[in-house]
Amino acid sequence: MTRTARRRGPGTLLLAALSALALAGCSLWEPVDVSQIEKHTVDPDARVIRFAHQYDPAHPVESCGAATLRTELADDGIAVETYPSGQIGGEGETTEQIATGGLELGVVGPSFLGIWYPDAAVLDAPYLFTDVDQFDEATNGPIMAEVYDEMAEETGLRVTSTWYYGTRHITSNVEIDEPDDLAGLKIRTPDAPLYITSFAIMHGSATPMALSEAYLGLQQGAIDAQENPIPTIDVQKFYEVQEYLNLTAHMVQAVNIVTSERFMESLTPAEREGMEDALEKARIATRDCIVEAEEETLRQWAEEDAITINDDVDVDAFQQLIADEFPSKVAWGDLYLELQESVR
């Protein structure tokens, strides 16, 4: 099936920028050994590229993905300087700086990228995929490649790679077994409208809040629950202020590695080939690290009784609500269904 591209007028880039500021050579399964990664001395003659993201330096996006990228590109005469923990700004600001040439590379979530090109937000949709295998197949397949080519043509932003960020679950102080259990709960989510839409369909109430404020919000009762991948729940220590981890698996989530067409065109053919190869190895390393962290953290929490792991969630009931309502609530509903069908 061929999608019909939706062309936007010349004001798209300006509107996207304003909206962004308003919002605060391997196979797919070839393993990458990140245990031997070491810091390289930067060649003074190396070409420096800056890579920004929102995550803690201990998060796999930095410790596995960025570390692999840095090591692989060093031999190609490219030095990668990373700026974790939002040092450059939020995802909206990161995208704006990439678009205007102030930054070479950044991690941007699909919802934020969707401000610039709406179809790109599809990867933040609930229950789009059921597991990492489906995620990998779709995000490296022809449908998303077409979306990203169209986005690059229209906006000048280029998605160079899509990394697995983790599978999102809900933590709470009450057991959540079915959609009705979400009624009345204030659930912290990222500040993106798509989350509000998704949780309303799932019978919940999304409460946008900065991740850095969520622990205190839970501790003081300003919010009742939150949702994140397991590695993020672990790093943020939400298990200290929540009683249940409810395995809703409502989003198998991506983050996009974004650059500009201007930057890619500035690379020599050899540099471009090296960049693409390094990004692919970094993608695999990040995925493998996060999958391992998810499995190991669950095992550790169960052994230490750190949080009650609820694996009796009626995921089918949540999936059915989304299937019945979600595609009609978004402009790219047909794309959502097409992606689902492509991996089933």
Side-chain angles (χ1 to χ4, degrees):
M1 178 166 54
T2 301
R3 294 185 305 105
T4 300
R6 289 189 292 277
R7 299 297 176 190
R8 298 160 184 82
T12 299
L13 295 183
L14 175 59
L15 290 173
L18 292 173
S19 298
L21 291 174
L23 284 174
C26 293
S27 69
L28 288 180
W29 301 108
E30 184 177 348
V32 173
D33 182 8
V34 298
S35 64
Q36 302 303 315
I37 290 176
E38 301 176 355
K39 289 188 177 297
H40 287 252
T41 301
V42 176
D43 183 343
D45 296 323
R47 178 172 186 169
V48 176
I49 63 172
R50 293 158 296 173
F51 180 34
H53 61 81
Q54 307 302 303
Y55 310 112
D56 186 270
H59 192 278
V61 164
E62 174 68 27
S63 62
C64 297
T68 299
L69 194 63
R70 185 183 304 111
T71 300
E72 292 295 324
L73 287 176
D75 292 337
D76 294 324
I78 296 176
V80 179
E81 293 182 351
T82 60
Y83 296 85
S85 303
Q87 294 177 35
I88 298 288
E91 289 174 275
E93 290 87 350
T94 295
T95 313
E96 172 69 12
Q97 291 193 54
I98 292 169
T100 58
L103 182 68
E104 289 80 26
L105 207 61
V107 179
V108 181
S111 289
F112 288 88
L113 201 57
I115 297 167
W116 294 77
Y117 193 78
D119 285 5
V122 68
L123 294 183
D124 261 356
Y127 295 112
L128 177 61
F129 310 121
T130 61
D131 55 37
V132 182
D133 289 354
Q134 288 189 356
F135 170 91
D136 252 355
E137 182 179 350
T139 55
N140 292 280
I143 298 174
M144 290 311 299
E146 181 183 354
V147 170
Y148 295 146
D149 284 344
E150 292 170 356
M151 184 185 72
E153 180 181 350
E154 184 167 316
T155 69
L157 293 170
R158 165 64 66 181
V159 171
T160 60
S161 186
T162 300
W163 294 0
Y164 176 57
Y165 177 60
T167 298
R168 297 181 86 94
H169 305 284
I170 299 172
T171 65
S172 61
N173 288 325
V174 296
E175 192 169 298
I176 297 170
D177 297 323
E178 58 186 26
D180 286 346
D181 294 333
L182 289 181
L185 293 184
K186 293 176 289 185
I187 306 164
R188 179 270 165 190
T189 69
D191 189 6
L194 189 56
Y195 285 83
I196 297 174
T197 300
S198 300
F199 274 96
I201 294 171
M202 293 164 61
H203 296 180
S205 177
T207 302
M209 179 182 290
L211 182 62
S212 60
E213 299 171 5
Y215 185 99
L216 187 60
L218 291 166
Q219 192 175 51
Q220 296 182 342
I223 50 176
D224 304 306
Q226 68 83 45
E227 51 83 49
N228 259 300
I230 287 168
T232 305
I233 294 170
D234 188 37
V235 169
Q236 296 294 324
K237 301 184 185 301
F238 290 138
Y239 55 83
E240 295 181 346
V241 288
Q242 298 271 262
E243 294 182 18
Y244 292 93
L245 170 66
N246 306 282
L247 299 180
T248 51
H250 54 276
M251 189 187 302
V252 181
Q253 193 170 36
V255 290
N256 301 118
I257 312 305
V258 180
T259 187
S260 66
E261 287 287 81
R262 181 191 306 109
F263 171 71
M264 293 302 289
E265 290 167 359
S266 74
L267 299 174
T268 66
E271 287 175 334
R272 184 164 187 148
E273 182 180 356
M275 176 74 72
E276 291 171 350
D277 181 64
L279 283 164
E280 176 64 1
K281 290 179 179 176
R283 178 188 72 80
I284 296 169
T286 303
R287 182 204 62 207
D288 291 350
C289 284
I290 289 178
V291 169
E292 181 180 355
E294 289 174 323
E295 295 172 351
E296 176 60 24
T297 301
L298 276 178
R299 184 195 61 76
Q300 182 176 339
W301 284 346
E303 287 182 356
E304 298 176 358
D305 200 24
I307 189 170
T308 300
I309 299 170
N310 176 21
D311 59 1
D312 291 326
V313 178
D314 188 354
V315 173
D316 289 343
F318 284 106
Q319 287 177 324
Q320 191 60 54
L321 286 174
I322 293 298
D324 290 344
E325 296 187 43
F326 185 81
S328 65
K329 300 285 187 181
V330 291
W332 33 262
D334 288 345
L335 174 61
Y336 174 86
L337 295 173
E338 184 183 1
L339 272 173
Q340 278 190 330
E341 183 63 26
S342 73
V343 295
R344 292 183 178 175

mmCIF file of all heavy atoms in Angstrom, residues 255-289:
data_model
loop_
_atom_site.group_PDB
_atom_site.id
_atom_site.type_symbol
_atom_site.label_atom_id
_atom_site.label_comp_id
_atom_site.label_asym_id
_atom_site.label_seq_id
_atom_site.Cartn_x
_atom_site.Cartn_y
_atom_site.Cartn_z
ATOM 1 N N VAL A 255 13.221 6.231 20.207
ATOM 2 C CA VAL A 255 13.748 7.594 20.144
ATOM 3 C C VAL A 255 14.486 7.724 18.812
ATOM 4 O O VAL A 255 15.096 6.777 18.335
ATOM 5 C CB VAL A 255 14.680 7.941 21.323
ATOM 6 C CG1 VAL A 255 13.904 8.048 22.614
ATOM 7 C CG2 VAL A 255 15.827 6.943 21.465
ATOM 8 N N ASN A 256 14.384 8.892 18.225
ATOM 9 C CA ASN A 256 14.985 9.143 16.919
ATOM 10 C C ASN A 256 16.323 9.851 17.065
ATOM 11 O O ASN A 256 16.453 10.781 17.865
ATOM 12 C CB ASN A 256 14.060 10.014 16.064
ATOM 13 C CG ASN A 256 12.711 9.387 15.835
ATOM 14 O OD1 ASN A 256 11.685 9.925 16.243
ATOM 15 N ND2 ASN A 256 12.692 8.244 15.186
ATOM 16 N N ILE A 257 17.304 9.422 16.295
ATOM 17 C CA ILE A 257 18.580 10.125 16.212
ATOM 18 C C ILE A 257 18.470 11.039 15.001
ATOM 19 O O ILE A 257 18.372 10.579 13.863
ATOM 20 C CB ILE A 257 19.755 9.148 16.067
ATOM 21 C CG1 ILE A 257 19.647 8.024 17.103
ATOM 22 C CG2 ILE A 257 21.072 9.905 16.194
ATOM 23 C CD1 ILE A 257 19.536 8.486 18.545
ATOM 24 N N VAL A 258 18.468 12.336 15.264
ATOM 25 C CA VAL A 258 18.113 13.323 14.253
ATOM 26 C C VAL A 258 19.303 14.222 13.934
ATOM 27 O O VAL A 258 20.049 14.628 14.822
ATOM 28 C CB VAL A 258 16.919 14.183 14.732
ATOM 29 C CG1 VAL A 258 16.526 15.217 13.675
ATOM 30 C CG2 VAL A 258 15.726 13.290 15.065
ATOM 31 N N THR A 259 19.459 14.508 12.655
ATOM 32 C CA THR A 259 20.435 15.488 12.190
ATOM 33 C C THR A 259 19.755 16.324 11.122
ATOM 34 O O THR A 259 18.527 16.288 10.964
ATOM 35 C CB THR A 259 21.707 14.800 11.668
ATOM 36 O OG1 THR A 259 22.702 15.802 11.386
ATOM 37 C CG2 THR A 259 21.450 13.977 10.419
ATOM 38 N N SER A 260 20.522 17.090 10.399
ATOM 39 C CA SER A 260 19.956 17.899 9.317
ATOM 40 C C SER A 260 20.489 17.425 7.979
ATOM 41 O O SER A 260 21.588 16.855 7.891
ATOM 42 C CB SER A 260 20.310 19.381 9.504
ATOM 43 O OG SER A 260 21.712 19.586 9.361
ATOM 44 N N GLU A 261 19.717 17.643 6.941
ATOM 45 C CA GLU A 261 20.189 17.342 5.597
ATOM 46 C C GLU A 261 21.444 18.151 5.280
ATOM 47 O O GLU A 261 22.363 17.663 4.622
ATOM 48 C CB GLU A 261 19.091 17.663 4.574
ATOM 49 C CG GLU A 261 17.939 16.685 4.566
ATOM 50 C CD GLU A 261 18.323 15.352 3.952
ATOM 51 O OE1 GLU A 261 18.930 14.518 4.672
ATOM 52 O OE2 GLU A 261 18.034 15.138 2.762
ATOM 53 N N ARG A 262 21.511 19.358 5.806
ATOM 54 C CA ARG A 262 22.674 20.218 5.569
ATOM 55 C C ARG A 262 23.941 19.556 6.102
ATOM 56 O O ARG A 262 24.993 19.530 5.444
ATOM 57 C CB ARG A 262 22.464 21.574 6.248
ATOM 58 C CG ARG A 262 23.604 22.573 6.052
ATOM 59 C CD ARG A 262 23.462 23.796 6.954
ATOM 60 N NE ARG A 262 22.169 24.447 6.799
ATOM 61 C CZ ARG A 262 21.197 24.437 7.720
ATOM 62 N NH1 ARG A 262 21.379 23.784 8.858
ATOM 63 N NH2 ARG A 262 20.071 25.060 7.521
ATOM 64 N N PHE A 263 23.855 19.004 7.315
ATOM 65 C CA PHE A 263 25.032 18.349 7.903
ATOM 66 C C PHE A 263 25.408 17.104 7.118
ATOM 67 O O PHE A 263 26.594 16.875 6.828
ATOM 68 C CB PHE A 263 24.764 17.987 9.363
ATOM 69 C CG PHE A 263 25.845 17.129 9.960
ATOM 70 C CD1 PHE A 263 27.103 17.653 10.227
ATOM 71 C CD2 PHE A 263 25.618 15.785 10.242
ATOM 72 C CE1 PHE A 263 28.109 16.866 10.757
ATOM 73 C CE2 PHE A 263 26.617 14.982 10.773
ATOM 74 C CZ PHE A 263 27.865 15.531 11.035
ATOM 75 N N MET A 264 24.420 16.273 6.758
ATOM 76 C CA MET A 264 24.726 15.045 6.024
ATOM 77 C C MET A 264 25.372 15.351 4.682
ATOM 78 O O MET A 264 26.285 14.647 4.238
ATOM 79 C CB MET A 264 23.459 14.213 5.843
ATOM 80 C CG MET A 264 22.887 13.644 7.135
ATOM 81 S SD MET A 264 24.047 12.589 8.066
ATOM 82 C CE MET A 264 24.120 11.134 7.003
ATOM 83 N N GLU A 265 24.930 16.408 4.030
ATOM 84 C CA GLU A 265 25.504 16.787 2.738
ATOM 85 C C GLU A 265 26.911 17.342 2.877
ATOM 86 O O GLU A 265 27.676 17.361 1.898
ATOM 87 C CB GLU A 265 24.587 17.809 2.055
ATOM 88 C CG GLU A 265 23.263 17.199 1.588
ATOM 89 C CD GLU A 265 22.240 18.248 1.191
ATOM 90 O OE1 GLU A 265 22.560 19.465 1.300
ATOM 91 O OE2 GLU A 265 21.124 17.860 0.788
ATOM 92 N N SER A 266 27.272 17.784 4.091
ATOM 93 C CA SER A 266 28.624 18.324 4.302
ATOM 94 C C SER A 266 29.669 17.220 4.483
ATOM 95 O O SER A 266 30.872 17.490 4.444
ATOM 96 C CB SER A 266 28.636 19.233 5.539
ATOM 97 O OG SER A 266 28.573 18.473 6.742
ATOM 98 N N LEU A 267 29.215 15.973 4.698
ATOM 99 C CA LEU A 267 30.135 14.869 4.899
ATOM 100 C C LEU A 267 30.690 14.368 3.572
ATOM 101 O O LEU A 267 29.996 14.370 2.555
ATOM 102 C CB LEU A 267 29.424 13.715 5.610
ATOM 103 C CG LEU A 267 28.853 13.983 7.001
ATOM 104 C CD1 LEU A 267 28.060 12.778 7.489
ATOM 105 C CD2 LEU A 267 29.952 14.341 7.993
ATOM 106 N N THR A 268 31.928 13.915 3.595
ATOM 107 C CA THR A 268 32.479 13.255 2.422
ATOM 108 C C THR A 268 31.816 11.883 2.296
ATOM 109 O O THR A 268 31.242 11.365 3.262
ATOM 110 C CB THR A 268 33.999 13.065 2.558
ATOM 111 O OG1 THR A 268 34.253 12.140 3.621
ATOM 112 C CG2 THR A 268 34.695 14.400 2.850
ATOM 113 N N PRO A 269 31.879 11.252 1.124
ATOM 114 C CA PRO A 269 31.302 9.903 1.003
ATOM 115 C C PRO A 269 31.841 8.933 2.049
ATOM 116 O O PRO A 269 31.086 8.131 2.606
ATOM 117 C CB PRO A 269 31.697 9.487 -0.422
ATOM 118 C CG PRO A 269 31.778 10.781 -1.175
ATOM 119 C CD PRO A 269 32.341 11.777 -0.195
ATOM 120 N N ALA A 270 33.143 8.995 2.336
ATOM 121 C CA ALA A 270 33.733 8.095 3.337
ATOM 122 C C ALA A 270 33.202 8.411 4.729
ATOM 123 O O ALA A 270 32.911 7.503 5.523
ATOM 124 C CB ALA A 270 35.255 8.211 3.307
ATOM 125 N N GLU A 271 33.083 9.712 5.049
ATOM 126 C CA GLU A 271 32.555 10.101 6.353
ATOM 127 C C GLU A 271 31.096 9.676 6.504
ATOM 128 O O GLU A 271 30.679 9.202 7.568
ATOM 129 C CB GLU A 271 32.666 11.617 6.538
ATOM 130 C CG GLU A 271 34.083 12.110 6.785
ATOM 131 C CD GLU A 271 34.160 13.626 6.835
ATOM 132 O OE1 GLU A 271 33.295 14.300 6.217
ATOM 133 O OE2 GLU A 271 35.096 14.148 7.465
ATOM 134 N N ARG A 272 30.330 9.829 5.439
ATOM 135 C CA ARG A 272 28.916 9.448 5.497
ATOM 136 C C ARG A 272 28.774 7.934 5.705
ATOM 137 O O ARG A 272 27.940 7.488 6.506
ATOM 138 C CB ARG A 272 28.203 9.893 4.230
ATOM 139 C CG ARG A 272 26.708 9.617 4.260
ATOM 140 C CD ARG A 272 25.969 10.403 3.205
ATOM 141 N NE ARG A 272 24.537 10.255 3.337
ATOM 142 C CZ ARG A 272 23.658 11.187 3.028
ATOM 143 N NH1 ARG A 272 24.068 12.365 2.577
ATOM 144 N NH2 ARG A 272 22.363 10.971 3.166
ATOM 145 N N GLU A 273 29.575 7.167 4.990
ATOM 146 C CA GLU A 273 29.528 5.719 5.158
ATOM 147 C C GLU A 273 29.907 5.330 6.583
ATOM 148 O O GLU A 273 29.272 4.464 7.205
ATOM 149 C CB GLU A 273 30.467 5.043 4.159
ATOM 150 C CG GLU A 273 30.449 3.524 4.237
ATOM 151 C CD GLU A 273 31.382 2.872 3.227
ATOM 152 O OE1 GLU A 273 31.991 3.606 2.421
ATOM 153 O OE2 GLU A 273 31.495 1.631 3.254
ATOM 154 N N GLY A 274 30.942 5.986 7.117
ATOM 155 C CA GLY A 274 31.359 5.708 8.483
ATOM 156 C C GLY A 274 30.301 6.089 9.497
ATOM 157 O O GLY A 274 30.069 5.371 10.479
ATOM 158 N N MET A 275 29.621 7.211 9.260
ATOM 159 C CA MET A 275 28.554 7.664 10.145
ATOM 160 C C MET A 275 27.393 6.676 10.152
ATOM 161 O O MET A 275 26.879 6.294 11.215
ATOM 162 C CB MET A 275 28.069 9.041 9.698
ATOM 163 C CG MET A 275 26.881 9.577 10.492
ATOM 164 S SD MET A 275 27.323 10.129 12.151
ATOM 165 C CE MET A 275 28.222 11.632 11.762
ATOM 166 N N GLU A 276 26.978 6.231 8.981
ATOM 167 C CA GLU A 276 25.858 5.292 8.892
ATOM 168 C C GLU A 276 26.187 3.966 9.559
ATOM 169 O O GLU A 276 25.347 3.382 10.258
ATOM 170 C CB GLU A 276 25.470 5.096 7.426
ATOM 171 C CG GLU A 276 24.846 6.349 6.802
ATOM 172 C CD GLU A 276 24.663 6.235 5.306
ATOM 173 O OE1 GLU A 276 25.185 5.258 4.710
ATOM 174 O OE2 GLU A 276 24.014 7.130 4.714
ATOM 175 N N ASP A 277 27.418 3.481 9.367
ATOM 176 C CA ASP A 277 27.832 2.222 9.980
ATOM 177 C C ASP A 277 27.897 2.349 11.498
ATOM 178 O O ASP A 277 27.439 1.467 12.239
ATOM 179 C CB ASP A 277 29.195 1.810 9.428
ATOM 180 C CG ASP A 277 29.681 0.489 10.008
ATOM 181 O OD1 ASP A 277 29.029 -0.535 9.762
ATOM 182 O OD2 ASP A 277 30.707 0.493 10.711
ATOM 183 N N ALA A 278 28.429 3.474 11.990
ATOM 184 C CA ALA A 278 28.539 3.692 13.433
ATOM 185 C C ALA A 278 27.164 3.818 14.082
ATOM 186 O O ALA A 278 26.927 3.298 15.181
ATOM 187 C CB ALA A 278 29.369 4.945 13.710
ATOM 188 N N LEU A 279 26.240 4.500 13.414
ATOM 189 C CA LEU A 279 24.886 4.648 13.948
ATOM 190 C C LEU A 279 24.169 3.307 14.036
ATOM 191 O O LEU A 279 23.418 3.051 14.983
ATOM 192 C CB LEU A 279 24.089 5.621 13.083
ATOM 193 C CG LEU A 279 24.396 7.102 13.285
ATOM 194 C CD1 LEU A 279 23.860 7.923 12.117
ATOM 195 C CD2 LEU A 279 23.813 7.595 14.604
ATOM 196 N N GLU A 280 24.397 2.448 13.046
ATOM 197 C CA GLU A 280 23.773 1.125 13.082
ATOM 198 C C GLU A 280 24.320 0.299 14.249
ATOM 199 O O GLU A 280 23.554 -0.369 14.966
ATOM 200 C CB GLU A 280 24.008 0.408 11.752
ATOM 201 C CG GLU A 280 23.479 -1.017 11.697
ATOM 202 C CD GLU A 280 21.970 -1.138 11.833
ATOM 203 O OE1 GLU A 280 21.272 -0.109 11.949
ATOM 204 O OE2 GLU A 280 21.478 -2.282 11.845
ATOM 205 N N LYS A 281 25.621 0.348 14.464
ATOM 206 C CA LYS A 281 26.196 -0.383 15.591
ATOM 207 C C LYS A 281 25.724 0.194 16.916
ATOM 208 O O LYS A 281 25.462 -0.544 17.878
ATOM 209 C CB LYS A 281 27.724 -0.360 15.497
ATOM 210 C CG LYS A 281 28.266 -1.201 14.344
ATOM 211 C CD LYS A 281 29.777 -1.139 14.248
ATOM 212 C CE LYS A 281 30.285 -2.017 13.097
ATOM 213 N NZ LYS A 281 31.752 -1.915 12.918
ATOM 214 N N ALA A 282 25.591 1.510 16.977
ATOM 215 C CA ALA A 282 25.099 2.150 18.200
ATOM 216 C C ALA A 282 23.641 1.785 18.462
ATOM 217 O O ALA A 282 23.223 1.597 19.612
ATOM 218 C CB ALA A 282 25.267 3.663 18.099
ATOM 219 N N ARG A 283 22.846 1.681 17.399
ATOM 220 C CA ARG A 283 21.439 1.283 17.536
ATOM 221 C C ARG A 283 21.332 -0.111 18.164
ATOM 222 O O ARG A 283 20.557 -0.333 19.102
ATOM 223 C CB ARG A 283 20.754 1.285 16.166
ATOM 224 C CG ARG A 283 19.301 0.827 16.209
ATOM 225 C CD ARG A 283 18.734 0.659 14.800
ATOM 226 N NE ARG A 283 19.274 -0.510 14.110
ATOM 227 C CZ ARG A 283 18.844 -1.767 14.318
ATOM 228 N NH1 ARG A 283 17.902 -2.010 15.207
ATOM 229 N NH2 ARG A 283 19.377 -2.769 13.632
ATOM 230 N N ILE A 284 22.114 -1.037 17.648
ATOM 231 C CA ILE A 284 22.081 -2.406 18.147
ATOM 232 C C ILE A 284 22.585 -2.469 19.588
ATOM 233 O O ILE A 284 22.005 -3.158 20.439
ATOM 234 C CB ILE A 284 22.911 -3.322 17.233
ATOM 235 C CG1 ILE A 284 22.295 -3.377 15.832
ATOM 236 C CG2 ILE A 284 23.026 -4.719 17.818
ATOM 237 C CD1 ILE A 284 23.177 -4.035 14.793
ATOM 238 N N ALA A 285 23.649 -1.723 19.878
ATOM 239 C CA ALA A 285 24.201 -1.722 21.237
ATOM 240 C C ALA A 285 23.185 -1.186 22.236
ATOM 241 O O ALA A 285 23.014 -1.744 23.331
ATOM 242 C CB ALA A 285 25.477 -0.881 21.281
ATOM 243 N N THR A 286 22.494 -0.110 21.872
ATOM 244 C CA THR A 286 21.495 0.473 22.772
ATOM 245 C C THR A 286 20.356 -0.498 23.014
ATOM 246 O O THR A 286 19.926 -0.706 24.158
ATOM 247 C CB THR A 286 20.955 1.787 22.181
ATOM 248 O OG1 THR A 286 22.047 2.686 21.946
ATOM 249 C CG2 THR A 286 19.961 2.446 23.127
ATOM 250 N N ARG A 287 19.855 -1.105 21.934
ATOM 251 C CA ARG A 287 18.770 -2.072 22.088
ATOM 252 C C ARG A 287 19.165 -3.216 23.001
ATOM 253 O O ARG A 287 18.429 -3.588 23.931
ATOM 254 C CB ARG A 287 18.372 -2.624 20.722
ATOM 255 C CG ARG A 287 17.209 -3.625 20.765
ATOM 256 C CD ARG A 287 17.245 -4.546 19.572
ATOM 257 N NE ARG A 287 18.469 -5.338 19.552
ATOM 258 C CZ ARG A 287 19.024 -5.822 18.444
ATOM 259 N NH1 ARG A 287 18.487 -5.582 17.268
ATOM 260 N NH2 ARG A 287 20.129 -6.538 18.520
ATOM 261 N N ASP A 288 20.336 -3.782 22.765
ATOM 262 C CA ASP A 288 20.768 -4.922 23.560
ATOM 263 C C ASP A 288 20.948 -4.543 25.026
ATOM 264 O O ASP A 288 20.590 -5.305 25.936
ATOM 265 C CB ASP A 288 22.062 -5.497 23.000
ATOM 266 C CG ASP A 288 21.870 -6.180 21.649
ATOM 267 O OD1 ASP A 288 20.702 -6.375 21.245
ATOM 268 O OD2 ASP A 288 22.880 -6.513 21.003
ATOM 269 N N CYS A 289 21.507 -3.366 25.281
ATOM 270 C CA CYS A 289 21.700 -2.916 26.662
ATOM 271 C C CYS A 289 20.369 -2.711 27.369
ATOM 272 O O CYS A 289 20.206 -3.067 28.543
ATOM 273 C CB CYS A 289 22.504 -1.614 26.683
ATOM 274 S SG CYS A 289 24.271 -1.810 26.393
#
